[in-house]
């Protein structure tokens, strides 16, 4: 078996829950020369009517700044510029892949110190199926903790929380993470659990978004900024199941003949603390064409291989089993039995109650 051929194992930092997911999507922006040539991302360009200022997404406001001696914060930079004639130039980028479902979604970035913007890392299907992590530079605390906003946009009143994290988002690169299952969305900052939302959960496949914007609304973004505001993203990592809209996941599952084989299921490491740019960062996918590799790792401040990959697709919901397990022989899976449906004759998810 090839490495990770039976999926990616994700552990909860706050409990003994564990999920196994078939797909990975990773982008190492610290070693990427030009985001505009990455076939896995779409840079947005459109005018949005809002009040008191209109907003204009500009492709030129999204700039790669890899680790080759350039000045400024490293990674892909999302800029918000001062308004011109009532329009604020902003930035947004989204994955081309649109079939992402339950999984673990993570991004490490450094937020701006310039007041008057909102920075977002989120999963999106539509305005009533959305999972958000949002930061507001105008509400930066003078103390040792800082608020962030966790929201699920749903048809009912959107559930939300406003936890405080023990750092300032502009003091370095911090990892923001949400783990989405059919039962809840759990949020983490630098590996520490900061909240759960259990209502209004999305059920459709969607895509990853990053945006950095301001419309001057005193009730939210404030601003707009009077000088260039920059949010710099080091990486995004996602391990998830999909809607299998082209059948490639089923193809992948047929190759998983022994989930207990060494490295058949790859364990995804957790970040515990802010991102250290002098330490290697683990990637399972390599190259910029969507091929799957065997554990590529690049120290942020040394030369490395850019990683931007979309792996095969999936139809499965996550498991809560505690090991890769044996192949199911009776149509049940996960839970206390610690067995998997991969390679079984019962399909990809052989139980509606004990998910693979």
């Amino acid at each position: 078996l090839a490495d990770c051929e039976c999926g990616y194992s994700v552990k909860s930092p706050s409990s003994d829950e564990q999920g196994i997911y078939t797909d990975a999507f990773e982008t190492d922006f610290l070693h990427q020369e030009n985001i505009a040539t990455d076939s896995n991302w779409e840079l947005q360009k459109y005018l949005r009517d809002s009040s008191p200022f209109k907003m204009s997404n500009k492709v030129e406001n999204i700039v790669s700044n890899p680790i080759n001696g350039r000045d400024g914060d490293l990674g892909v930079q999302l800029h918000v510029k001062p308004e011109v004639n009532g329009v604020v130039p902003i930035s947004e980028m989204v994955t081309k892949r649109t079939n992402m479902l339950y999984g673990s979604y993570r991004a490490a970035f450094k937020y701006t110190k310039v007041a008057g913007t909102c920075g977002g890392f989120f999963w999106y299907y539509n305005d009533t199926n959305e999972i958000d992590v949002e930061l507001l530079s105008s509400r930066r605390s003078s103390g040792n903790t800082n608020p962030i906003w966790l929201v699920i946009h749903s048809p009912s009143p959107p559930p939300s929380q406003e936890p405080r994290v023990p750092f300032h988002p502009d003091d370095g690169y911090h990892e923001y993470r949400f783990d989405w299952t059919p039962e809840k969305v759990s949020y983490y900052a630098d590996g520490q659990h900061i909240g759960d939302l259990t209502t209004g959960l999305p059920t459709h496949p969607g895509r990853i978004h990053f945006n950095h914007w301001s419309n001057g609304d005193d009730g939210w973004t404030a601003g707009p900024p009077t000088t260039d505001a920059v949010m710099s993203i080091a990486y995004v990592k996602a391990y998830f199941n999909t809607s299998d809209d082209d059948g490639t996941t089923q193809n992948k599952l047929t190759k998983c003949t022994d989930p207990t084989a060494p490295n058949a299921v790859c364990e995804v490491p957790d970040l515990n603390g802010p991102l250290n740019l002098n330490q290697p960062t683990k990637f399972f996918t390599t190259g910029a064409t969507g091929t799957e590799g065997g554990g590529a790792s690049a120290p942020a401040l040394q030369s490395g291989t850019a990683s931007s990959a979309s792996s095969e697709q999936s139809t499965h919901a996550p498991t809560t089993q505690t090991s890769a397990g044996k192949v199911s022989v009776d149509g049940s899976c996960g839970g206390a039995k610690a067995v998997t449906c991969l390679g079984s004759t019962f399909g990809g998810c052989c139980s509606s109650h004990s998910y693979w």
Side-chain angles (χ1 to χ4, degrees):
L1 290 178
D3 283 351
C4 311
E5 201 151 73
C6 294
Y8 303 86
S9 173
V10 173
K11 294 181 179 179
S12 166
S14 58
S15 72
D16 59 359
E17 294 177 351
Q18 180 175 352
I20 299 179
Y21 302 95
T22 58
D23 285 44
F25 182 97
E26 301 173 324
T27 305
D28 175 8
F29 296 115
L30 293 172
H31 297 95
Q32 184 182 71
E33 288 294 326
N34 186 0
I35 181 63
T37 63
D38 189 330
S39 61
N40 294 306
W41 290 91
E42 294 178 351
L43 311 187
Q44 301 297 287
K45 181 180 180 181
Y46 62 88
L47 180 67
R48 182 171 180 177
D49 195 13
S50 62
S51 179
F53 295 94
K54 294 180 179 180
M55 298 182 290
S56 179
N57 271 298
K58 300 280 191 181
V59 170
E60 57 267 31
N61 279 0
I62 304 175
V63 181
S64 293
N65 188 35
I67 54 141
N68 58 2
R70 302 183 191 182
D71 294 329
D73 290 329
L74 301 175
V76 64
Q77 300 176 341
L78 274 62
H79 292 252
V80 177
K81 308 279 189 176
E83 64 92 9
V84 178
N85 297 324
V87 179
V88 182
I90 64 172
S91 49
E92 181 175 12
M93 52 188 281
V94 306
T95 59
K96 288 188 177 179
R97 188 166 184 172
T98 61
N99 62 352
M100 299 174 170
L101 273 167
Y102 306 115
S104 181
Y105 297 82
R106 310 144 187 238
F109 56 90
K110 182 178 181 181
Y111 193 42
T112 184
K113 290 181 181 292
V114 178
T117 75
C118 176
F121 161 50
F122 56 105
W123 173 98
Y124 182 87
Y125 170 73
N126 62 22
D127 287 348
T128 57
N129 285 266
E130 181 178 345
I131 303 171
D132 287 4
V133 176
E134 296 179 296
L135 308 176
L136 297 173
S137 58
S138 64
R139 302 192 194 181
R140 186 185 193 277
S141 170
S142 60
N144 295 324
T145 63
N146 212 78
I148 64 174
W149 284 263
L150 315 176
V151 185
I152 295 179
H153 293 276
S154 64
S156 57
S160 65
Q161 291 184 8
E162 188 181 320
R164 301 188 74 87
V165 293
F167 56 80
H168 291 296
D170 56 51
D171 66 12
Y173 292 81
H174 298 277
E175 185 188 78
Y176 304 90
R177 165 181 167 182
F178 53 88
D179 290 359
W180 169 31
T181 71
E183 294 77 31
K184 64 181 177 179
V185 176
S186 296
Y187 293 88
Y188 304 88
D190 287 343
Q192 302 302 306
H193 181 239
I194 56 174
D196 293 321
L197 296 176
T198 59
T199 61
L201 302 176
T203 56
H204 295 274
R207 62 170 78 183
I208 298 171
H209 287 234
F210 289 99
N211 65 6
H212 192 198
W213 60 281
S214 177
N215 65 356
D217 181 357
D218 285 339
W220 187 245
T221 67
T226 57
T227 188
D228 188 14
V230 183
M231 168 177 154
S232 300
I233 308 168
Y235 64 70
V236 61
K237 302 178 181 183
Y239 310 96
F240 56 96
N241 296 329
T242 85
S243 55
D244 198 28
D245 47 18
D246 64 1
T248 54
T249 293
Q250 193 57 41
N251 242 1
K252 179 175 182 177
L253 295 177
T254 61
K255 299 177 183 178
C256 176
T257 56
D258 183 6
T260 63
N263 299 320
V265 176
C266 291
E267 185 172 328
V268 178
D270 293 329
L271 186 70
N272 186 16
L275 181 66
N276 184 342
L277 296 186
N278 292 298
Q279 297 296 321
T281 299
K282 182 76 171 180
F283 295 99
F284 295 101
T285 53
T286 58
T289 58
T291 56
E292 291 201 58
S297 181
L301 294 183
Q302 302 175 22
S303 60
T305 302
S307 210
S308 179
S310 308
S311 63
E312 289 85 350
Q313 300 164 344
S314 164
T315 56
H316 308 300
T319 182
T320 54
Q321 63 195 43
T322 56
S323 65
K326 299 178 180 179
V327 176
S328 177
V329 296
D330 62 2
S332 64
C333 61
K337 294 191 175 185
V339 293
T340 176
C341 297
L342 287 181
S344 78
T345 60
F346 301 98
C349 184
C350 52
S351 168
S352 60
H353 301 290
S354 297
Y355 295 107
W356 148 225

